[in-house]
């Protein structure tokens, strides 16, 4: 039997993105011994890629903003299947969390009078995104890391968690392997916080990095926890479409926030022709009004390019399908046009959107200060995740917590831009705090259960058994991505999703026959083989929930049920592993919004 090392901590945090780092800082501040385990190097978590900003009603740019408006925007964006309690906590606590980042050293862009500058973003009524140019995630990770390393948190970098250990129905630790050397470690813990991010790698075209294989979702599911809202996958409207090697890389909404407009091949600003009733009174009537809004005119309403992401993405798909797309299968996003309005437009664009300027120049040979970009939808974010208690972030398994993109509840059917970074720090902090208390109050100190650990290691090494396996993990992964993109993508239909389930089932069977050559030392084929099981679980969860929701709402668009269904507007899809090992999905009624918050929603219009 392959050996393993044992470690013991009060709280184990899986993931070193914004949610994981904030959870670890808080757990440590509460007196717990804490370890962070992360798949990549510290500093490389996906949060580092976040561009546009972090949403919080600081009201530095527009004093009309408040937690009430932020709450109401988030609920409307989520089409009212959000957890109202999470939306309330988030709107109330985000400003404190942003100011705390500033106290810990984050240098946000400034207003003329030295306050934190806030920018416009889709679905937010007022300028609300604190930002650092278009590199906000980098500043956030840098700040949290700098602060975190002084809290005495241990970090296990380039370790992938394979399984959550569960004893007597509660989370008791994890088993992980070292990606470099292939060695195993078993951690016993009083509480485990999942902060593993999203699932974008289940699709072919995505803005997400290699890490996003749905590990936290799958780890929780396998441990017996519930997942929720998995049908709601956000397709960001603007990813790069050309050249093919960069297809899917994000083009931040900040471009539209700074005045960028969407045009079809006929040069028409097509977003003006399709404004949903829910947003009619908040949307500009004319391009001139839209421009004034982006320049901070408080009497102007936002341009239709800043409607919610689900809607903008669908309008782009319509233009492409109806033959009005750009040469490489997207539409045009033009920020260069602002030179008609601003004297030093090129410098302004480079200052406001330095990464975008660089990205297009280096990767596509396009100067965005002079030419339009070609953009199209890209799989970006999953609103669904581990179902948690809104206040504590504990899942249905005692001692197992989840925060950030791998948790769920805040965003409902559609996330507003900027609401993820604030989600990470608001609920990361809460998860860390409650996990530390749980570990202190409830912990039964024990060593890891060696028989569980040995079985997990045995399964992880199965694919090295060259005599039995014939399948290539990369081919299975790529087939899954192709099929999810084609059959469970931005426009969904029953027959195609049923076909997707059949494919997933076949791929599951094939994945049991995966074979990997070489040894355990930095073996990417092995890592891909181990990730496969997670991708297949999330793909199935997305497809089953999407099939069950026979309506179009937020990020889910069903061509066979194009309208909203009033009854389905009252439910969430909950997923768990059934007693026979099969995936089960059911609808549960959304907890009703209490009267005082209903009044807030109505008052904010
Ligand atoms: C290009 C881009 C731009 C974005 N811009 C914005 C923005 O401007 N504003 C906004 O609000 N949101 C934005 N988002 C969304 C936001 O960045 C993410 O939702 C958020 O960063 C997720 O943070 P997290 O802490 O949940 O996870 P991550 O930052 O992804 O961290 C996940 C961590 O988990 C680790 N991990 C995963 N699996 C395992 C495992 N099995 N074992 C051990 N470790 C594991 C990873 O190594 C990593 O450390 C953007 C997303 C993208 C792709």
């Amino acid at each position: 039997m392959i050996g393993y090392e044992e470690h013991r901590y009060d709280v184990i945090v899986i993931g070193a993105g914004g949610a994981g780092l904030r959870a670890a800082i808080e757990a440590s501040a509460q007196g717990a011994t804490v370890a962070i385990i992360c798949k990549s190097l510290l500093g490389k978590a996906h949060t580092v890629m976040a561009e546009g900003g972090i949403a919080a009603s600081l009201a530095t740019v527009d004093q009309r903003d408040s937690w009430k408006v932020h709450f109401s925007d988030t609920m409307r964006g989520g089409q009212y299947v959000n957890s109202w309690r999470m939306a309330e906590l988030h709107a109330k606590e985000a400003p404190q969390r942003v100011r705390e980042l500033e106290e810990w050293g984050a240098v946000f862009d400034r207003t003329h009078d030295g306050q934190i500058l806030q920018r416009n973003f889709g679905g937010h009524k007022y300028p609300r995104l604190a930002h650092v140019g278009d590199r906000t995630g980098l500043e956030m990770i840098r700040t949290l890391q700098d602060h975190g390393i002084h809290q005495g948190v241990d970090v296990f970098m380039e370790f992938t968690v394979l399984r959550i250990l569960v004893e007597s129905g509660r989370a008791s630790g994890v088993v992980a392997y070292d990606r470099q050397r292939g060695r195993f470690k078993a951690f016993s813990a009083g509480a485990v916080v999942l902060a593993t991010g999203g699932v974008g790698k289940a699709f072919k075209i995505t803005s997400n990095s290699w890490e996003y294989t749905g590990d936290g979702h799958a780890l929780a599911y396998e441990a017996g926890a519930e997942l929720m809202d998995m049908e709601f996958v956000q397709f960001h409207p603007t990813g790069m479409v050309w050249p093919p090697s960069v297809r899917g890389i994000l083009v931040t909404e900040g471009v539209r926030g700074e005045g960028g407009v969407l045009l079809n091949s006929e040069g028409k600003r097509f977003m003006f022709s399709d404004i949903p009733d829910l947003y009619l009174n908040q949307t500009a009537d004319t391009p001139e009004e839209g421009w004034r809004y982006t320049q901070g005119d408080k009497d102007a309403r936002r341009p239709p390019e800043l409607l919610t992401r689900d809607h903008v993405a669908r309008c782009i798909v319509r233009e492409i399908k109806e033959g009005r797309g750009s040469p490489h299968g997207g539409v045009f996003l033009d920020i260069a046009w602002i030179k008609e309005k601003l004297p030093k437009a090129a410098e302004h664009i480079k200052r406001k959107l330095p990464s975008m300027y660089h990205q297009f120049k280096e990767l596509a040979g396009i100067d965005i200060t002079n030419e339009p970009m070609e953009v199209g939808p890209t799989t970006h974010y999953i609103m669904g995740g581990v179902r948690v208690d809104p206040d504590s972030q504990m899942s249905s398994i005692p001692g197992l917590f989840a925060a950030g993109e791998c948790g769920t509840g805040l965003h409902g059917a559609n996330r507003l831009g900027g609401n993820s970074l604030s989600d990470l720090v608001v609920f990361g902090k809460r998860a860390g705090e409650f996990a530390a208390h749980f570990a202190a109050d409830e912990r039964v100190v024990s060593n890891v259960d060696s028989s569980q650990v040995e079985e997990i290691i045995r399964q992880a090494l199965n694919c090295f058994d060259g005599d039995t396996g014939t399948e290539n993990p990369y081919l299975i992964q790529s087939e899954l991505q192709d099929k999810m993109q084609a059959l469970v993508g931005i426009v969904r239909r029953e027959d195609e999703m049923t076909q997707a389930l059949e494919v997933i089932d076949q791929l599951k069977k094939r994945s049991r026959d995966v074979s990997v050559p070489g040894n355990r030392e930095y073996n990417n084929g092995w890592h891909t083989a181990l990730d496969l099981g997670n991708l297949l679980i999330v793909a199935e969860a997305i497809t089953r929930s999407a099939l069950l929701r026979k309506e179009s709402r937020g990020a889910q668009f069903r061509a066979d049920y194009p309208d909203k269904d009033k009854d389905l507007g009252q439910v969430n899809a909950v997923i768990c592993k059934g007693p026979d090992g099969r995936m089960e999905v059911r609808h549960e009624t959304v907890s009703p919004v209490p009267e005082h918050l209903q009044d807030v929603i109505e008052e904010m219009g």
Side-chain angles (χ1 to χ4, degrees), residues 15-16 19 39 46-47 50-53 161 211-212 215 381 405 418 420-421:
K39 213 162 155 174
H46 200 276
T47 300
E51 293 164 354
V161 172
E211 292 179 284
Y212 267 20
D215 295 10
Y381 185 89
E405 192 169 341
S420 171
L421 292 188

Side-chain angles (χ1 to χ4, degrees), residues 193-367:
V193 180
L194 293 164
T196 51
V199 308
K201 284 292 169 191
F203 293 83
K204 185 175 174 189
I205 300 171
T206 178
S207 63
N208 292 181
S209 75
W210 64 271
E211 292 179 284
Y212 267 20
T213 47
D215 295 10
H217 297 72
L219 288 167
Y221 171 81
E222 289 291 358
E226 291 170 333
L227 305 180
M228 194 173 81
D229 286 345
M230 291 294 286
E231 67 272 41
F232 297 125
V233 176
Q234 181 169 78
F235 298 91
H236 193 290
T238 58
M240 291 179 83
V241 295
W242 189 257
S245 57
V246 300
R247 192 172 184 122
I249 292 184
L250 194 76
V251 180
T252 175
E253 199 162 315
V255 176
R256 285 170 280 142
E258 298 297 341
V261 297
L262 288 165
L263 303 168
N264 63 20
S265 59
E266 295 161 2
K268 181 177 172 196
R269 254 180 102 173
F270 54 87
M271 287 305 304
F272 269 103
S273 339
D274 192 346
I275 299 167
D277 291 347
L278 202 58
Y279 286 95
L280 260 181
N281 65 354
Q282 293 189 5
T283 309
D285 284 334
T286 61
E288 185 55 32
E289 184 184 1
W291 167 251
R292 283 193 282 111
Y293 176 91
T294 64
Q295 299 311 295
D297 181 341
K298 295 196 171 102
D299 296 326
R301 292 166 298 171
R302 68 180 152 229
E305 278 87 358
L306 289 178
L307 285 164
T308 53
R309 290 175 173 178
D310 54 330
H311 181 72
V312 180
R314 276 195 293 278
C315 289
I316 291 176
V317 169
R318 184 198 57 216
E319 292 303 304
I320 299 166
K321 278 202 170 155
E322 292 177 6
R324 295 183 295 274
S326 65
H328 301 105
V331 294
F332 296 105
L333 172 61
D334 188 10
I335 182 83
W337 82 276
I338 67 171
K339 59 184 166 233
E340 292 167 23
K341 298 280 185 186
L342 297 177
K344 288 189 178 164
E347 285 75 13
H348 178 81
I349 293 167
K350 285 185 205 168
R351 193 175 66 252
K352 288 287 185 179
L353 302 161
S355 297
M356 287 303 107
Y357 175 76
H358 182 79
Q359 182 173 309
F360 273 89
K361 195 86 180 142
E362 295 296 317
L363 301 179
I366 298 267
D367 177 354

